[in-house]
Amino acid sequence: MFKNLKSDIPASIVVFFVALPLCLGIALASGAPLFSGLIAGIIGGVIVGALSGSQIGVSGPAAGLSAIVLTAITTLGGFENFLMAVVIGGVIQLIFGFLKAGVIGYYFPSSVIKGMLTGIGIIIILKQIPHFFGYDSDPEGDFSFFQVDGENTFSEIFIALNQVNLSATIIALIGLGILLVWSNILSKKGKFFTIIQGPLVAVAAGILYVIFMKGSSLGINANHLVQVPIPDSIESFIGQFSFPNFSAITETGVWITGFTIALVASLETLLCVEATDKLDPEKRVTPTNRELIAQGTGNILSGLVGGLPITQVIVRSSANVQSGGKTKMSAIIHGFLLLISVILIPGLLNFIPLSVLAAILLIVGYKLAKPATFKSMYKAGWKQFVPYIVTVVGIVFTDLLIGIALGLAVGIVVVLYKSFNNSHFLHIEDMSNGVQKLKMTLAEEVTFFNKAAILNELDSLPENSHLELDVRKTRFLDLDVVEILQDFALKAKNRNIHITLVSERGVVENPTSYIEFFKLRPRSA
């Protein structure tokens, strides 16, 4: 891990700047103390990062859980009761990991995972536009279409464009300019410009702007800056930690919430693992069961000290990849940076303009949702493009999990359609002697999904023809299909269609009972 520090340290700084406002924003959107988001970010980086088998994935509080957290804090009777549910959720995730439930992550189609990446990229862009122009009514980290401030993704943009904050926009444009020049020009001029990342320079410029413009007409108000809690003593710092109410462990609602957190957090993590592995330039494969164990451990610790639930998150993970992170040291260092900065320099962090961080996230979002991706998926054919675009639209207009579910549902329909059409192959072999000879070869597996296709094909056979039915390659033939063949035997006799059944046990002319024949067939045939 330590061989790539020259790449991992600069990447960790970028991830730190991306994670900081998201940790605070997700806590705010969840109705939880701001410090709870930072706790989750620190544990997600240091603890989960160390235990995880993912080399480039970054964990922390997730926007997809904010609605669950917001509701649970109220219904469970307080934040301490909710923390008990987080601990329980972590234990359940450990059980998932030991039961090897991580294999579920491999059952999501590639088109849906790519749609997830593109959809999140678009969401990042749309959600950061208001912050870029200094309209910060909705907290960072609220990625749902219907926002906690009462607006939706698009109405928020329209309001922001009508209430542009000049100062925030100026420094955002400066920051965006620095990022573009740094990545497109300066990064190619020497190693210095790759070690010192553009986002660090952009944030430094933002801090200097806030300091030097303070009190002037172009100054930026505090409500447009990062707002890290600043304790005035060691006692007040320790007082920011909360602890679970262990007596609530007997309450049914706490267990239901714990299981919900475990299920949703595990699903989001597995989806993110699949997506992050696709982004990895070295194409390493993350052990999913180990990831569930790491996430479960992280959630247990987070719940014990007052943190939000943790998942692996694609925004921070993609920022890590885009910044050149090579190993898990990047995620671990970013966690330590959060911890050290919260303890030592919370005041300095509060000089960072949200609009500059929005500029950084705009670049992250664009790299996830490049137009070239749409083009390549369209060229791949409708069977890939339809689940992809449904996932994208679903994520943009609902939220991450609903979008994924819609894309997966469409993907399943496409698979069924393909299965419908791939059950058999029929072609004309001979037209001599006035008898049309046809050959139907059944697929390796023929299920009830294929009933309609086979039935239509058999009903369309011409009278006075000869059908050769080849089942030598078929390993599974559903009883529903066998019954179709049985029914067709009578139709064939009335239409003078001669049937030759070719199997691994030999050739049978006009079988009297297909049901008896296939019952007698050995399992291997």
Side-chain angles (χ1 to χ4, degrees):
M1 292 191 299
F2 297 98
K3 294 179 180 179
N4 294 282
L5 286 178
K6 63 180 180 180
S7 298
D8 290 333
I9 291 176
S12 69
I13 296 172
V14 176
V15 177
F16 162 71
F17 286 128
V18 169
L20 179 63
L22 292 179
C23 289
L24 296 169
I26 291 170
L28 187 61
S30 302
L34 292 181
F35 196 66
S36 66
L38 295 171
I39 292 172
I42 293 166
I43 293 176
V46 177
I47 305 299
V48 178
L51 297 176
S52 170
S54 176
Q55 295 300 313
I56 55 176
V58 183
S59 298
L65 287 168
S66 58
I68 296 173
V69 176
L70 182 63
T71 303
I73 291 174
T74 303
T75 57
L76 296 180
F79 188 60
E80 289 74 16
N81 291 350
F82 167 74
L83 292 178
M84 189 66 246
V86 176
V87 174
I88 291 172
V91 173
I92 294 172
Q93 281 188 295
L94 286 180
I95 296 172
F96 286 165
F98 290 127
L99 293 178
K100 301 189 183 303
V103 69
I104 295 171
Y106 297 123
Y107 287 93
F108 289 88
S110 176
S111 57
V112 174
I113 298 300
K114 291 178 181 177
M116 169 187 166
L117 290 171
T118 302
I120 290 175
I122 293 173
I123 277 291
I124 292 172
I125 293 171
L126 294 175
K127 293 293 186 179
Q128 294 308 312
I129 290 175
H131 296 294
F132 186 90
F133 291 106
Y135 187 78
D136 301 308
S137 174
D138 193 52
E140 289 276 9
D142 182 9
F143 287 170
S144 296
F145 181 73
F146 295 104
Q147 302 177 165
V148 296
D149 67 344
E151 301 294 334
N152 63 54
T153 301
F154 295 104
S155 67
E156 187 89 355
I157 293 174
F158 292 132
I159 294 173
L161 294 177
N162 288 320
Q163 299 184 30
V164 173
N165 182 290
L166 182 60
S167 304
T169 305
I170 289 174
I171 190 56
L173 289 170
I174 292 172
L176 185 61
I178 291 172
L179 293 170
L180 294 174
V181 171
W182 210 274
S183 62
N184 296 326
I185 300 174
L186 296 179
S187 63
K188 302 171 184 176
K189 299 295 184 181
K191 288 186 177 180
F192 172 81
F193 298 106
T194 57
I195 295 175
I196 303 298
Q197 293 276 347
L200 176 60
V201 180
V203 169
I207 292 174
L208 292 174
Y209 181 93
V210 171
I211 292 173
F212 287 108
M213 292 295 179
K214 188 175 182 179
S216 72
S217 59
L218 291 178
I220 300 179
N221 294 330
N223 57 342
H224 299 301
L225 305 175
V226 171
Q227 296 182 9
V228 176
I230 302 179
D232 53 15
S233 64
I234 295 177
E235 289 76 15
S236 61
F237 175 78
I238 296 175
Q240 295 181 98
F241 292 90
S242 300
F243 305 99
N245 176 18
F246 290 100
S247 63
I249 196 170
T250 58
E251 296 181 14
T252 303
V254 170
W255 280 92
I256 293 174
T257 301
F259 185 80
T260 303
I261 290 171
L263 193 63
V264 175
S266 298
L267 183 57
E268 282 205 25
T269 292
L270 294 174
L271 289 168
C272 184
V273 163
E274 281 288 291
T276 304
D277 285 351
K278 287 187 179 298
L279 293 174
D280 186 3
E282 299 182 27
K283 301 304 176 186
R284 290 164 290 190
V285 178
T286 300
T288 51
N289 296 316
R290 177 177 171 180
E291 187 65 30
L292 289 179
I293 293 172
Q295 296 291 335
T297 304
N299 274 318
I300 291 172
L301 293 176
S302 186
L304 287 174
V305 295
L308 292 178
I310 296 169
T311 73
Q312 190 176 129
V313 276
I314 193 62
V315 179
R316 276 156 268 191
S317 300
S318 58
N320 188 27
V321 175
Q322 294 169 16
S323 303
K326 299 294 184 184
T327 72
K328 62 168 65 180
M329 283 304 298
S330 177
I332 295 171
I333 294 171
H334 120 273
F336 278 113
L337 289 175
L338 282 172
L339 176 61
I340 294 168
S341 63
V342 167
I343 295 173
L344 299 181
I345 54 168
L348 182 61
L349 295 179
N350 288 343
F351 283 112
I352 301 176
L354 291 174
S355 59
V356 171
L357 298 177
I360 296 173
L361 286 167
L362 284 174
I363 300 295
V364 173
Y366 175 77
K367 289 181 178 180
L368 284 173
K370 287 182 178 179
T373 306
F374 284 92
K375 187 176 180 180
S376 64
M377 292 302 295
Y378 181 78
K379 288 183 176 180
W382 72 268
K383 293 174 185 177
Q384 291 292 315
F385 184 73
V386 172
Y388 166 81
I389 202 67
V390 167
T391 304
V392 172
V393 173
I395 289 174
V396 171
F397 286 96
T398 56
D399 59 32
L400 176 63
L401 291 179
I402 293 177
I404 291 288
L406 292 173
L408 182 60
V410 172
I412 291 172
V413 171
V414 170
V415 169
L416 295 180
Y417 178 81
K418 289 167 69 177
S419 176
F420 175 86
N421 288 313
N422 294 335
S423 60
H424 64 280
F425 176 68
L426 179 71
H427 67 281
I428 299 172
E429 287 199 322
D430 191 4
M431 288 287 291
S432 61
N433 301 323
V435 178
Q436 185 170 350
K437 294 184 179 180
L438 306 101
K439 182 176 181 180
M440 177 184 285
T441 304
L442 296 188
E444 186 172 354
E445 292 190 6
V446 186
T447 70
F448 68 92
F449 291 123
N450 310 123
K451 286 171 56 177
I454 293 175
L455 181 61
N456 291 337
E457 199 78 85
L458 292 173
D459 285 345
S460 66
L461 294 179
E463 295 183 357
N464 305 311
S465 58
H466 184 179
L467 172 66
E468 179 182 312
L469 184 61
D470 191 343
V471 296
R472 286 175 293 184
K473 296 180 179 179
T474 305
R475 293 293 174 265
F476 175 78
L477 191 62
D478 201 315
L479 179 61
D480 288 21
V481 179
V482 176
E483 290 177 345
I484 287 175
L485 296 175
Q486 181 70 30
D487 294 340
F488 179 71
L490 179 60
K491 298 178 184 178
K493 186 176 181 180
N494 295 333
R495 291 159 54 188
N496 195 30
I497 298 175
H498 186 87
I499 301 174
T500 300
L501 179 61
V502 181
S503 73
E504 290 182 346
R505 296 191 296 112
V507 178
V508 180
E509 303 291 340
N510 292 318
T512 55
S513 175
Y514 288 87
I515 293 177
E516 292 300 321
F517 178 85
F518 287 109
K519 279 185 178 179
L520 293 172
R521 288 180 62 207
R523 292 182 181 274
S524 61

